[in-house]
Amino acid sequence: MIIAIDGPAASGKGTLAKRIAAHYGLGWLDTGLLYRAVARDVVVKGGRLEDLGAAIAAARAIDATTLCDPHLRGPRAGDDASMIAKIPEVRAALLDYQRTFAQQGKGAVLDGRDIGTVVCPDARVKIFVTASDEARARRRFLEHHGRGDTITYEELLADIRRRDARDSNRSVAPLAAAPDAILLDTTDLDADQAFVAAMKIIEKKVGK
Ligand code: DC
């Protein structure tokens, strides 16, 4: 079974996808990490994110064993990822890895922006997770604050809005709900409530 979880920045889709995968014993891929790692690799090699050739080469050489790098989780890495994610050849280079991952054993849960529309258009279940900008910024702020980061709520809100606009307006595989995706608004839900709501959607779809 393949489950596609898409949504904007900091919508909680990663936490949700991880829990769903654990529940069903499926693989889990946070596809945002692939884009974050490509941007990291460009910068580490001394390149500029605006350099198409450097970004495409980094995407073609991506090493998935480096995705657990904790530096990939910060807002700067997210913004950098969103920049290189506009490049069609970068997206194309990452497609095979994502599709092969999805086809493993019992299946997988993938979260991202274009899983239901491009990567796995035949996914058994597609959920598009949303939440208000303010709720998403608040959650991110608490996360960062807990780690002792000094970034402000206003900075996180601006980052989320900038990234959503870039991800939604790019010409290739923009952030969008697939026509057959079920919307899940988590603005007023905590992580447990969001999980329960997502499980209801899945069980209704696959028949318990
Ligand atoms: O999910 P995330 O915040 O880690 O993603 C970081 C950026 O990567 C996001 O702003 C856009 C890009 N991305 C994408 O274009 N397609 C995906 N499937 C996942 C992420």
Side-chain angles (χ1 to χ4, degrees):
M1 171 163 73
I2 297 174
I3 300 178
I5 314 274
D6 288 302
S11 55
K13 61 191 184 312
T15 307
L16 196 57
K18 185 178 178 182
R19 261 176 100 163
I20 294 168
H23 180 86
Y24 289 111
L26 302 173
W28 168 48
L29 181 63
D30 170 354
T31 64
L33 285 179
L34 292 168
Y35 294 90
R36 288 170 183 253
V38 170
R40 172 203 57 197
D41 293 350
V42 169
V43 173
V44 163
K45 285 199 167 153
R48 290 179 313 110
L49 297 170
E50 297 75 17
D51 178 349
L52 294 191
I56 295 164
R60 289 182 179 153
I62 193 76
D63 175 0
T65 64
T66 67
L67 299 182
C68 48
D69 173 0
H71 294 110
L72 295 180
R73 298 276 173 194
R76 174 69 200 270
D79 200 49
D80 288 355
S82 167
M83 293 278 293
I84 57 91
K86 293 186 295 190
I87 305 167
E89 294 89 339
V90 165
R91 305 199 70 83
L94 299 177
L95 207 47
D96 265 0
Y97 178 80
Q98 296 174 81
R99 287 188 174 151
T100 304
F101 187 96
Q103 295 301 333
Q104 66 178 276
K106 284 171 68 183
V109 183
L110 281 76
D111 70 87
R113 304 290 187 292
D114 62 338
I115 308 304
T117 51
V118 175
V119 179
C120 302
D122 297 328
R124 185 84 182 275
V125 185
K126 300 179 185 179
I127 300 178
F128 193 84
V129 185
T130 60
S132 72
D133 300 358
E134 292 80 6
R136 292 185 285 134
R138 212 163 32 244
R139 285 178 201 156
R140 270 291 143 90
F141 177 71
L142 293 174
E143 242 175 75
H144 283 282
H145 202 64
R147 291 202 297 252
D149 296 348
T150 53
I151 191 157
T152 65
Y153 166 83
E154 287 73 21
E155 284 169 325
L156 288 164
L157 184 60
D159 168 66
I160 281 171
R161 287 181 169 157
R162 183 173 57 244
R163 260 198 308 141
D164 285 354
R166 199 188 287 127
D167 295 342
S168 305
N169 294 320
R170 68 181 175 226
S171 54
V172 58
L175 163 67
D180 52 346
I182 313 235
L183 292 191
L184 175 57
D185 185 337
T186 66
T187 304
D188 298 317
L189 305 182
D190 64 22
D192 288 343
Q193 292 168 325
F195 176 65
V196 170
M199 289 302 296
K200 275 194 192 142
I201 293 172
I202 296 168
E203 309 232 310
K204 190 166 173 206
K205 191 88 186 176
V206 301
K208 212 178 162 195

